[in-house]
Amino acid sequence: MSMKLHCFGESGNAYKAALTLELSGAAWEPVFVDFFNGGTRSDDFRAINPMGEAPVLVDGDVTLTQSGAIQQYVVDKTGKLGGAEADKYEVLRWVLWDNHKMSSQAGMTRFLMNFLPEDKRPQEVIGFMQSRLKAAYATLDAHLAGRDWIVGDAISVADISNCGYLFYEEPFGFNRKDWPNIDAWLMRISEVPGWKHPYDLMQRALPA
């Protein structure tokens, strides 16, 4: 039986879960969430996730929310993408770093810059968030100097988590050419067999 991921293409957090499922070789299928028309606020969706957020993974009697938890579930279920046993806490450290320092801020900044009406975009907030993101990019770029992957010698959920928002074309203050180590790392990720762009893995909620 396939696992079901409630998701939508514009969500970088959903992309982390979807790409982990895809690269692990797990049997899964996306279930579209119409986010911009209130899909996560409906009573039916809240019955699945009272937090009112996507993604949500349903695997039989197991229902999980939060991308990091979903990623770890897939690692435990498939035995893939978790890195070497000796590195498991380093992998976790980078997943948590991403959730706090990178994705939470990239997701908000991208939303403010692209999915709000132009006259409602708070420029001071956007500028502040972009400065915080620049510090995060600098940390990641420096860590990747001389490395192929964030942890160990193969792609892991640490990489998948940290790249969650960095393949999107919508502007939010990130230009991969400004960060050569991140740029090379993203290229390596995109060359992993089975990799797909978020809009090829999940249905978009808004027209292209």
Side-chain angles (χ1 to χ4, degrees):
M1 182 174 65
S2 294
M3 292 183 273
K4 291 180 170 55
L5 185 71
H6 296 257
C7 58
F8 62 101
E10 287 86 349
S11 169
N13 287 316
Y15 180 51
K16 299 176 202 178
L19 188 59
T20 301
L21 286 160
E22 189 73 9
L23 295 184
S24 75
W28 75 285
E29 57 184 284
V31 178
F32 175 63
V33 176
D34 193 1
F35 175 81
F36 293 102
N37 286 309
T40 58
R41 299 191 297 273
S42 70
D43 290 342
D44 287 346
F45 190 86
R46 293 287 179 135
I48 300 171
N49 181 13
M51 294 178 180
E53 298 174 334
V56 180
L57 181 72
V58 179
D59 183 19
D61 294 334
V62 175
T63 299
L64 280 174
T65 70
Q66 303 301 315
S67 61
I70 293 170
Q71 287 184 297
Q72 188 59 50
Y73 180 80
V74 175
V75 168
D76 293 341
K77 188 178 180 75
T78 66
K80 298 178 181 177
L81 300 172
E85 177 65 20
D87 291 333
K88 66 179 182 180
Y89 292 116
E90 185 68 1
V91 170
L92 176 61
R93 186 171 79 96
W94 278 98
V95 170
L96 294 175
W97 181 86
D98 164 70
N99 291 179
H100 179 57
K101 293 291 189 180
M102 179 81 80
S103 287
S104 61
Q105 300 182 83
M108 178 187 292
T109 307
R110 180 168 158 266
F111 181 85
L112 294 177
M113 291 180 66
N114 297 278
F115 303 126
L116 281 182
E118 191 167 352
D119 63 345
K120 297 186 183 302
R121 298 172 186 174
Q123 296 304 318
E124 288 187 6
V125 174
I126 289 170
F128 174 75
M129 296 301 292
Q130 287 180 330
S131 69
R132 290 179 62 85
L133 279 167
K134 186 175 181 179
Y137 305 145
T139 297
L140 180 59
D141 195 74
H143 178 74
L144 286 167
R147 300 172 184 266
D148 287 342
W149 307 105
I150 290 179
V151 180
D153 58 4
I155 190 172
S156 72
V157 290
D159 301 286
I160 297 170
S161 187
N162 277 271
C163 80
Y165 279 92
L166 303 185
F167 283 109
Y168 286 102
E169 291 81 9
E170 297 92 354
F172 58 96
F174 173 69
N175 183 340
R176 57 189 282 179
K177 298 302 182 184
D178 293 337
W179 307 98
N181 298 320
I182 293 177
D183 182 43
W185 166 74
L186 290 173
M187 182 61 68
R188 282 189 290 276
I189 293 173
S190 69
E191 291 172 347
V192 171
W195 177 86
K196 292 180 181 177
H197 187 277
Y199 292 143
D200 294 325
L201 271 181
M202 303 172 292
Q203 180 180 335
R204 297 179 72 147
L206 293 174

